[in-house]
Amino acid sequence: MKDKTFSVSITEQEIRQQVQRVAAEITRDYEGRQPVFLAVLNGSFVFAADLLREVDLPCEISFVKLASYEGTATTGNVREIIGMNTDITGRPVIIVEDIVDTGLTMAHMLDTLKGHNPQSIDICTLLLKPSKLQVKLDIKYCCKEIPDDFVVGYGLDYDGFGRNTKDIYTLI
Ligand code: 5GP
């Protein structure tokens, strides 16, 4: 793809099995509740679509985006959550992310969301690179832990491309 070579590392079949497993865990854990899923665009759009169809609960979904803007010299580069059109006050929230790498994005998102006073927040990620984590994060739902490699496909991109593949590929 473009100037790089990738090879299949997680097949469509394995992804489907893991998505079904995680969806069953959420369905079991949230029985009797009506969670709000917050899917973080762009990378999570495929995962969120598959996950939600396997979750057997009354639920809502909002697609949010993290917008970077230049802050003042003291605040540095701040990332703001945009597009959240569901009131999460007093609601159980499940963040749906494509991949957690250093965890800094997720830690910042948690901090911001706590300001909206949700009942609870859980993290659900398709992929996690445990060796790269720089912050302590309680990741309740994870489809697969992977090594510190660059991956594309199934929603994840390389320079905008590759989001539309059924398998996940690793840069070789
Ligand atoms: P973190 O703040 O956890 O370091 O970064 C998470 C974000 O970095 C993900 O949402 C994703 O956009 C990007 N990212 C991290 N690792 C990869 C990777 O291997 N492939 C792709 N396509 N994006 C990645």
Side-chain angles (χ1 to χ4, degrees), residues 40 66 79 95 97-112 114 123 125 127-139 148:
V40 187
L66 296 171
R79 300 193 86 195
I95 302 172
E97 178 63 294
D98 53 355
I99 184 163
V100 175
D101 187 287
T102 63
L104 294 172
T105 307
M106 196 46 69
H108 174 70
M109 188 154 180
L110 279 177
D111 271 356
T112 308
K114 280 175 188 160
I123 299 169
T125 187
L127 301 172
L128 168 67
K129 297 179 185 173
S131 64
K132 291 284 296 292
L133 266 185
Q134 288 180 19
V135 285
K136 202 179 165 321
L137 274 182
D138 180 12
I139 298 180
D148 177 18

Side-chain angles (χ1 to χ4, degrees), residues 6-12 152 166-172:
F6 294 86
S7 69
V8 174
S9 52
I10 313 174
T11 63
E12 178 186 8
V152 292
K166 292 177 178 172
D167 301 315
I168 291 173
Y169 295 76
T170 296
L171 178 67
I172 50 172

